[in-house]
Amino acid sequence: MRIYCEKDYDAMSRRAANLISAEVIRRPDCVLGLATGSTPEGTYKQLVAWNQRGDFSFKEVRSVNLDEYRGLAPDHDQSYRYFMQKHLFDHVDIRPENTWVPDGLAEDPAAECARYDELIRSLGYADLQLLGVGRNGHIGFNEPDEDFMKPTHVVDLAENTIDANARFFASRDEVPKQAFTMGIGCIMAARRVLLLASGTNKADAIYNAVCGPITPRCPGSILQLHNDVVLVGDEAALSKLIEAGVCVCG
């Protein structure tokens, strides 16, 4: 695992955007696995700026998103399809037909999970998979559990995940209780994983994912078994790794 410790959120976002844009320049038709949430917003903002400046193009890129809330329509302002349109897709030259997000309104959840797995397999899996990490160590919406779930599946969201996401909704009661999520198998099949973390509230999760035992109780810990993981975080998120001497900032 390579670790880049950046001073703050903005520096973390620029580093991550640099790594993603370098992948696109190296392989214009690459498959990007994309994530949502507040952590990658700055990264997407930087990618938009560079794309609009003409530094590189998304025209041949294919993208697959990690997850989607079950029960939300694509145009719901808290759906992850809406997030991706707002923060990236509507502002760059990616082809709409080359962007995929699970269908939150699928009538047959099992069939949708199987369809999404087959789609990702048909694309050859992600060349670069972008991930954030939850305070409980979840990646995508793979919550702490007794086993690592390999395929795409519907997950019951943990209470602390619902609490963390409540700030995006009018009330906690409006937060969906389930989500479709890419499974651990698809995530681990990516050729490179780019893991982002920002803020002191992620310090424990990052330390456990990097230095703790490999256990489904901390889903992010499975990344210790991947042969090409890049962790980019700010000083606050990596503070416990710094204390342990695992990385140095500056």
Side-chain angles (χ1 to χ4, degrees), residues 15-170:
R15 172 75 72 175
N18 186 280
L19 292 167
I20 294 170
S21 61
E23 181 68 27
V24 175
I25 292 168
R26 185 185 70 84
R27 185 172 178 179
D29 64 345
C30 66
V31 178
L32 297 179
L34 299 178
T36 55
S38 56
T39 302
E41 282 187 22
T43 299
Y44 293 148
K45 182 178 180 180
Q46 184 66 75
L47 289 171
V48 167
W50 288 341
N51 175 258
Q52 292 184 351
R53 196 170 67 185
D55 292 347
F56 71 99
S57 174
F58 280 102
K59 284 183 180 178
E60 302 303 322
V61 169
R62 286 82 48 80
S63 74
V64 287
N65 260 76
L66 277 168
D67 41 31
E68 177 61 284
Y69 285 120
R70 186 180 179 199
L72 295 193
D75 60 354
H76 188 288
D77 65 5
Q78 292 304 320
S79 78
Y80 287 161
R81 165 58 78 174
Y82 185 95
F83 176 99
M84 293 306 304
Q85 297 297 144
K86 177 181 177 182
H87 292 285
L88 185 64
F89 298 155
D90 284 346
H91 311 290
V92 298
D93 58 349
I94 195 167
R95 292 185 171 94
E97 64 271 22
N98 285 345
T99 67
W100 290 278
V101 181
D103 180 6
L105 296 181
E107 294 184 5
D108 186 336
E112 173 61 10
C113 291
R115 181 196 71 82
Y116 206 64
D117 272 342
E118 175 57 26
L119 166 67
I120 297 168
R121 187 203 63 76
S122 71
L123 293 172
Y125 300 98
D127 294 295
L128 186 150
Q129 176 64 61
L130 180 65
L131 294 177
V133 62
R135 283 178 253 182
N136 62 3
H138 73 241
I139 51 176
F141 269 133
N142 291 281
E143 299 280 19
D145 205 339
E146 297 303 316
D147 301 289
F148 289 112
M149 290 291 290
K150 293 183 179 180
T152 296
H153 58 286
V154 175
V155 63
D156 294 324
L157 301 181
E159 291 299 316
N160 52 12
T161 298
I162 294 172
D163 290 339
N165 292 339
R167 67 188 187 277
F168 301 116
F169 292 81

Side-chain angles (χ1 to χ4, degrees), residues 171-247:
S171 71
R172 188 183 188 280
D173 291 339
E174 294 186 14
V175 183
K177 305 303 187 289
Q178 292 185 316
F180 291 92
T181 186
M182 191 185 295
I184 294 296
C186 285
I187 292 172
M188 292 295 286
R191 276 167 278 288
R192 173 176 293 176
V193 172
L194 175 56
L195 176 63
L196 305 185
S198 176
T200 54
N201 63 348
K202 300 296 179 69
D204 284 332
I206 286 295
Y207 180 83
N208 291 335
V210 174
C211 299
I214 299 171
T215 169
R217 303 307 303 170
C218 177
S221 65
I222 194 69
L223 297 177
Q224 294 178 37
L225 299 179
H226 197 285
N227 62 8
D228 192 356
V229 175
V230 181
L231 167 60
V232 181
D234 58 23
E235 290 184 3
L238 303 190
S239 59
K240 295 204 169 182
L241 295 185
I242 297 169
E243 292 173 7
V246 175
C247 69

